Amino acid sequence: MKLKDAKIGKEYEVLDISLCDDCPLDESPCSILGLMERGLVPGSTLEVVKKDLGLYYLKIDGTSIVIRKPEAEKFNIEVE
């Protein structure tokens, strides 16, 4: 299932993360690589704490992060 379909309060295991299909990786910083540096990697535990005001509040292996809804739904993040 994709991250956008994850239920609030349930823990998931991250199965796979892919860069965006048309990723140029040129001058602009890559948000998905930044999330991977913060621990969002295959095998990590992810919990959607809440979805509010266009933001996703996540816990990744106990670390809290916030990402914008369009980015969360654009990325190819598979959870189970």
Side-chain angles (χ1 to χ4, degrees):
M1 127 178 43
K2 297 284 186 187
L3 177 59
K4 69 179 182 175
D5 301 320
K7 303 255 188 261
I8 295 172
K10 185 175 177 188
E11 287 191 354
Y12 296 91
E13 180 181 349
V14 178
L15 298 177
D16 187 39
I17 302 171
S18 302
L19 296 176
C20 304
D21 294 332
D22 58 350
C23 181
L25 279 180
D26 52 9
E27 299 172 14
S28 60
C30 178
S31 299
I32 194 70
L33 289 178
L35 291 172
M36 292 173 82
E37 289 173 347
R38 291 180 187 95
L40 186 65
V41 295
S44 61
T45 302
L46 177 133
E47 176 187 351
V48 179
V49 177
K50 69 179 180 175
K51 300 175 186 178
D52 191 29
L53 300 173
L55 299 170
Y56 276 60
Y57 296 80
L58 307 174
K59 275 192 183 177
I60 302 167
D61 289 333
T63 301
S64 297
I65 65 167
V66 178
I67 60 175
R68 293 183 299 226
K69 183 178 177 179
E71 290 179 345
E73 294 178 355
K74 175 178 79 170
F75 299 143
N76 298 314
I77 301 171
E78 291 284 333
V79 296
E80 176 178 71

